[in-house]
Amino acid sequence: MSRGRAALAGVTAAAVAIGVAEPVAVLTGPRSAPLIAVGGLVVDVVPEPLKQFAIAVFGTYDKIALLVGTAVLLAAIAALLGVLAARRLLLGLAGIAAFAALGMASALTRAGADALDALPSLVGGALGALTLWAFVAGPLRENAGPWTPPTTPRPETATPAQSGPAQPPASAPPAVAALARDEASAGWEPQEPAGDESRRRFLRGVGLLAGTAAVAGLGGHWLAGRRGVSAAREAVRLPTPVAPAPPVPAGADLSVNRLAPFVTPNREFYRIDTALVVPQVDPATWRLRIHGRVRRPLELSFDDLLARPMVERHITLACVSNEVGGDLIGNARWLGVPLRELLDEVEPEEGADQVVGRSVDGWTCGTPTAVLRDGRDALLAVGMNGEPLPVEHGFPVRMVVPGLYGYVSACKWVTELELTSFADFDAYWVPRGWSAQGPIKTQSRIDAPRRRDGLTAGPVTVAGVAWAQHRGIRRVEVRVDDGPWHEATLAPTVSVDTWVQWSWRWDATPGDHTLQVRATDAAGETQPEQRRPVAPDGATGWHTVPVKVG
Ligand SMILES: Nc1nc2c(c(=O)[nH]1)N[C@H]1C(S)=C(S)[C@@H](COP(=O)(O)O)O[C@H]1N2
Ligand SMILES: [Mo]
């Protein structure tokens, strides 16, 4: 078997393994599919700098990049396994078994996994191994005899000694000629078909099996998608809040071209999480357990939650991984139950200084109990901008806490609140090098003009947003080319928990210039010039934008 064929056989076997696992995963849940399960394990174990690199390079496409990367790596290894198998079949089969075991182990170690989650990798591995065997030693192997005895009658008078393959008429087209030759040789040498026949059978096998893998994979994926919760989400009727959101003041939106809108539409809201497949949580079976160091543990259904008085608030959510000038920030109108009220009911014990939010997928965040009870509008949210939470933003229920980065507070698909202490428990990102405490740092961003925008000399509107959630913004200043600072005009905003838009009229002169912005919070604290990276507790520095004026 040539190396090329052996490699192709290996890749086909891997494709079969991954493809047929998909329809099985329709039964056991998308997170048990081998590619997703292993990818999820990779997300949890890759070193933080690499993850940062992925976020920086691929932006929010890091997940697709991870899956494509995993697939490419897998194909390379599978090709190698094919070559290995051609020499010693057992080695190739052992390689496939090792991969199946990895897939099974990954699926079984995910949060909330049960024994059935091993099934997709098991079935995939078995059929992948069967495929490899078929190519290397089974019916699809090189020089294997035909599957069914040839029906072509032998040429009447021919004997192996005196007659070669029958010759087609000289005028026959090449395909017919090839066919004639094949049939003849099949008739003559059942154990040793000509190289052409063998190659054709090999390629037919590859095509058929790869096609089956693709159909099974895509079909399974599609079916799994139909089992999602979008219908359940559409059926949710959100209650009217007893405390509606204060209206957005006229003028909060400066409506400058390229400036982020005051309220971020759900479709444009940034998304950050460790979930390779969006958890599909059925509100009918959803439960929230509030437990741990409390005197009166509480369990709520979705209907219990909806029956409670709801408040609606604009709150600006920000990610700790947001670089200076970055867009991992958004402002929405959230509808939910105040977490303060729920905590009052369960009566936390003294010293239970941390509330751990736990998602259905096992992700955790740790929020200071004191912050949740200090009177701010920390919400157990069910609505976002007038709709049930979008599935990727945590449907049916998530946390939203003004003033804290998402990684310590904004648990999506939340199913548990556990009262504990910071001394006793580290949430997901803490052992990975991020600070246990994550108050949002004061920041400001220039949205208009953008980097290297071509501008014409004369008046130019410089505009952007600034935020210091739960403290509020007092002042925003802009400067050009390290010149004097100019105070920008602040648009009205809803509350200290939301960002604020600002603008400044610049009389631009021809040439290359640098615009810079800095904000001061309501306590009089100005954001520091010193640039610090996002880890461990949020970037600092002034957003700087080079522009060209013609
Ligand atoms: N279950 C779960 N919730 C999560 C996360 C996660 O990885 N899993 N990431 C958090 C982080 S880091 C941020 S910044 C916010 C982002 O919320 P969004 O995706 O709705 O913008 O969600 C938080 N909630
Ligand atoms: Mo984040």
Side-chain angles (χ1 to χ4, degrees):
M1 196 172 193
S2 79
R3 272 204 192 172
R5 278 203 205 183
L8 195 54
V11 173
T12 307
V16 166
I18 288 170
V20 298
E22 283 291 332
V24 182
V26 172
L27 304 173
T28 56
R31 291 194 313 141
S32 59
L35 205 54
I36 298 294
V38 174
L41 188 76
V42 170
V43 167
D44 285 356
V45 302
V46 290
E48 189 45 34
L50 198 68
K51 219 178 288 186
Q52 278 305 317
F53 169 79
I55 290 180
V57 174
F58 306 115
T60 30
Y61 293 114
D62 57 342
K63 282 181 192 134
I64 296 170
L66 179 96
L67 289 179
V68 170
T70 308
V72 168
L73 190 73
L74 218 77
I77 296 174
L80 218 69
L81 278 180
V83 173
L84 219 62
R87 301 237 175 106
R88 288 198 58 188
L89 177 59
L90 221 55
L91 281 183
L93 294 181
I96 292 204
F99 269 97
L102 178 67
M104 284 160 54
S106 309
L108 288 173
T109 51
R110 306 270 80 207
D114 58 39
L116 270 182
D117 287 344
L119 207 59
S121 292
L122 191 67
V123 173
L127 291 179
L130 196 67
T131 304
L132 194 59
W133 167 80
F135 279 123
V136 173
L140 297 175
R141 79 174 188 274
E142 209 165 2
N143 295 333
W147 282 346
T148 48
T151 50
T152 325
R154 289 180 178 212
E156 222 113 87
T157 56
T159 69
Q162 63 185 185
S163 171
Q167 291 303 311
S171 60
V176 172
L179 201 74
R181 202 164 57 233
D182 275 357
E183 288 183 345
S185 62
W188 275 111
E189 302 163 314
Q191 297 314 310
E192 290 288 319
D196 272 0
E197 156 68 8
S198 161
R199 175 171 359 108
R200 209 168 306 121
R201 193 175 43 215
F202 173 81
L203 288 178
R204 222 181 295 133
V206 166
L208 203 77
L209 287 166
T212 306
V215 169
L218 295 174
H221 205 74
W222 175 78
L223 264 177
R226 280 170 44 106
R227 299 210 345 165
V229 291
S230 47
R233 177 178 176 270
E234 249 128 66
V236 169
R237 292 286 160 266
L238 294 177
T240 314
V242 293
V248 177
D253 242 314
L254 293 174
S255 303
V256 172
N257 188 26
R258 315 195 83 167
L259 173 59
F262 180 75
V263 174
T264 314
N266 290 354
R267 266 173 300 98
E268 286 160 35
F269 209 94
Y270 80 96
R271 174 187 164 201
I272 292 288
D273 53 61
T274 59
L276 282 181
V277 289
V278 182
Q280 305 286 322
V281 182
D282 183 355
T285 54
W286 177 87
R287 293 286 183 281
L288 178 73
R289 267 200 328 134
I290 311 180
H291 66 113
R293 292 172 59 182
V294 299
R295 290 192 189 82
R296 308 162 150 274
L298 186 67
E299 186 168 312
L300 292 170
S301 70
F302 192 59
D303 286 338
D304 294 338
L305 195 66
L306 291 191
R308 287 173 167 261
M310 297 252 167
V311 306
E312 194 167 38
R313 296 287 182 261
H314 286 94
I315 297 166
T316 300
L317 196 64
C319 183
V320 69
S321 296
N322 197 28
E323 303 282 353
V324 171
D327 56 5
L328 300 180
I329 178 165
N331 183 44
R333 180 164 47 91
W334 306 95
L335 174 75
V337 170
L339 277 158
R340 176 181 7 97
E341 293 174 9
L342 293 170
L343 290 175
D344 286 349
E345 275 179 48
V346 299
E347 298 178 17
E349 290 172 6
E350 282 305 307
D353 62 2
Q354 177 174 228
V355 176
V356 172
R358 188 168 280 117
S359 156
V360 293
D361 65 0
W363 186 86
T364 53
C365 62
T367 315
T369 312
V371 164
L372 298 177
R373 306 184 82 182
D374 72 359
R376 74 183 73 193
D377 293 313
L379 299 179
L380 196 58
V382 296
M384 182 178 185
N385 290 329
E387 292 175 22
L389 290 178
V391 179
E392 59 273 27
H393 292 291
F395 180 80
V397 184
R398 74 174 302 169
M399 294 170 63
V400 177
V401 182
L404 301 185
Y405 286 122
Y407 83 107
V408 293
S409 68
C411 191
K412 303 192 273 189
W413 315 289
V414 66
T415 185
E416 245 184 78
L417 298 178
E418 182 180 353
L419 275 287
T420 176
S421 70
F422 279 99
D424 285 345
F425 184 80
D426 281 339
Y428 185 89
W429 284 112
V430 177
R432 292 167 171 82
W434 296 81
S435 167
Q437 303 292 331
I440 293 176
K441 293 178 179 174
T442 303
Q443 267 296 345
S444 48
R445 188 179 79 193
I446 299 169
D447 282 1
R450 296 282 160 117
R451 179 172 277 269
R452 315 226 178 277
D453 264 0
L455 302 171
T456 40
V460 167
T461 300
V462 182
V465 282
W467 59 91
Q469 287 92 318
H470 210 58
R471 298 184 299 279
I473 290 288
R474 171 185 295 176
R475 186 167 60 242
V476 171
E477 295 160 291
V478 185
R479 70 175 179 180
V480 184
D481 303 331
D482 296 338
W485 288 101
H486 304 276
E487 196 161 339
T489 306
L490 297 186
T493 191
V494 166
S495 77
V496 294
D497 295 338
T498 54
W499 60 10
V500 48
Q501 297 192 349
W502 57 265
S503 71
W504 177 66
R505 178 58 71 90
W506 173 35
D507 204 8
T509 54
D512 288 342
H513 297 288
T514 303
L515 299 171
Q516 236 174 1
V517 66
R518 69 176 185 191
T520 300
D521 72 9
E525 202 71 52
T526 300
Q527 60 178 108
E529 175 174 20
Q530 199 201 358
R531 284 205 158 241
R532 286 164 178 264
V534 293
D537 61 359
T540 66
W542 296 334
H543 190 206
T544 305
V545 175
V547 291
K548 259 188 194 321
V549 181

